Amino acid sequence: PTHTLAYITHIHIHVVRAFNVKMAEYKVHRIRYFNYVPEAINSIAFDDRADKIAVSRAGGSIEIWDIKHDWFQEKILPGSDHRSVEDVAWCGDRLFSAGMNGDISEYDLDRCQVKHSADSYGGAVWSIKVNNSRTHLAAGCEDGCIRLYNLSEDNITFERSFDKVDGEKHFISIIESVKDYFRLFRIYI
């Protein structure tokens, strides 16, 4: 559904005549309407150290919200037609995403663009999680494998792949980080 939102501004105008000291005040009322079409949310990630939330939308954009100071939207990382964002994960002040294009990306939050990207080597990525010590990222891929990546300060590097279950073709991997271990769940569809 489309919703109509309006921005309303009030402007006060003070008029002073050159030789007359008499002042007049006028109020100008201006309204601008636009159609707001909300996009579906694909995933939400919470950064407990900075009290921020990353929200990935169906159009591929990612919104960064500050929840410490009255829930305001800090910035939007723009999406594109060729990149989907199925899951997002924080690693300290670093933000990672993964999607149907098979890439795992880290973002430069100052420039609002992709900083580093690594191939998943397994097709679409449905789920990513960072371990508690913030050294590794696990990715659940469409080919049936769960892959582990090392998170250095400057890059994302593939470390190893966990075996897949033979004979199963379509599944979704869900990864949960507990202490320094990952719990791996596979849901077959």
Side-chain angles (χ1 to χ4, degrees):
T2 45
H3 303 284
T4 303
L5 298 179
Y7 282 115
I8 301 173
T9 57
H10 295 285
I11 303 170
H12 294 281
I13 300 174
H14 297 282
V15 178
V16 180
R17 293 186 183 167
F19 297 105
N20 193 352
V21 186
K22 188 176 183 181
M23 294 178 59
E25 185 175 315
Y26 299 94
K27 289 184 181 180
V28 177
H29 185 77
R30 187 174 83 185
I31 298 177
R32 291 187 181 186
Y33 292 97
F34 65 94
N35 286 330
Y36 174 67
V37 181
E39 290 183 314
I41 294 174
N42 284 351
S43 71
I44 299 174
F46 175 64
D47 178 13
D48 57 344
R49 293 183 181 179
D51 286 334
K52 292 184 183 182
I53 289 180
V55 178
S56 70
R57 296 284 184 169
S61 64
I62 301 173
E63 301 170 359
I64 309 297
W65 290 81
D66 183 341
I67 61 172
K68 191 174 188 178
H69 303 101
D70 294 331
W71 284 82
F72 74 92
Q73 188 179 52
E74 280 187 4
K75 58 188 80 174
I76 297 177
L77 308 173
S80 65
D81 292 336
H82 64 281
R83 176 184 289 272
S84 75
V85 178
E86 297 301 317
D87 201 5
V88 288
W90 288 100
C91 178
D93 58 349
R94 299 168 70 184
L95 179 65
F96 295 91
S97 76
M100 301 297 284
N101 61 344
D103 286 343
I104 298 169
S105 302
E106 179 182 359
Y107 290 89
D108 183 341
L109 296 177
D110 294 328
R111 295 184 179 167
C112 295
Q113 63 187 14
V114 175
K115 183 177 181 181
H116 301 293
S117 193
D119 193 338
S120 71
Y121 303 110
V125 180
W126 293 96
S127 178
I128 58 173
K129 293 292 181 255
V130 175
N131 66 343
N132 286 346
S133 63
R134 303 178 194 280
T135 57
H136 289 88
L137 180 137
C141 300
E142 188 173 33
D143 70 348
C145 292
I146 295 174
R147 290 178 170 75
L148 194 63
Y149 295 84
N150 185 20
L151 299 178
S152 64
E153 288 185 28
D154 297 338
N155 213 347
I156 312 162
T157 53
F158 174 76
E159 190 168 298
R160 70 174 287 197
S161 179
F162 295 98
D163 293 333
K164 66 179 177 177
V165 178
D166 292 331
E168 299 294 337
K169 297 205 181 232
H170 300 288
F171 78 95
I172 297 172
S173 295
I174 300 172
I175 307 150
E176 179 184 14
S177 178
V178 179
K179 296 186 181 177
D180 262 352
Y181 302 100
F182 290 107
R183 284 188 195 158
L184 310 175
F185 301 95
R186 292 183 175 140
I187 301 171
Y188 296 95
I189 50 176

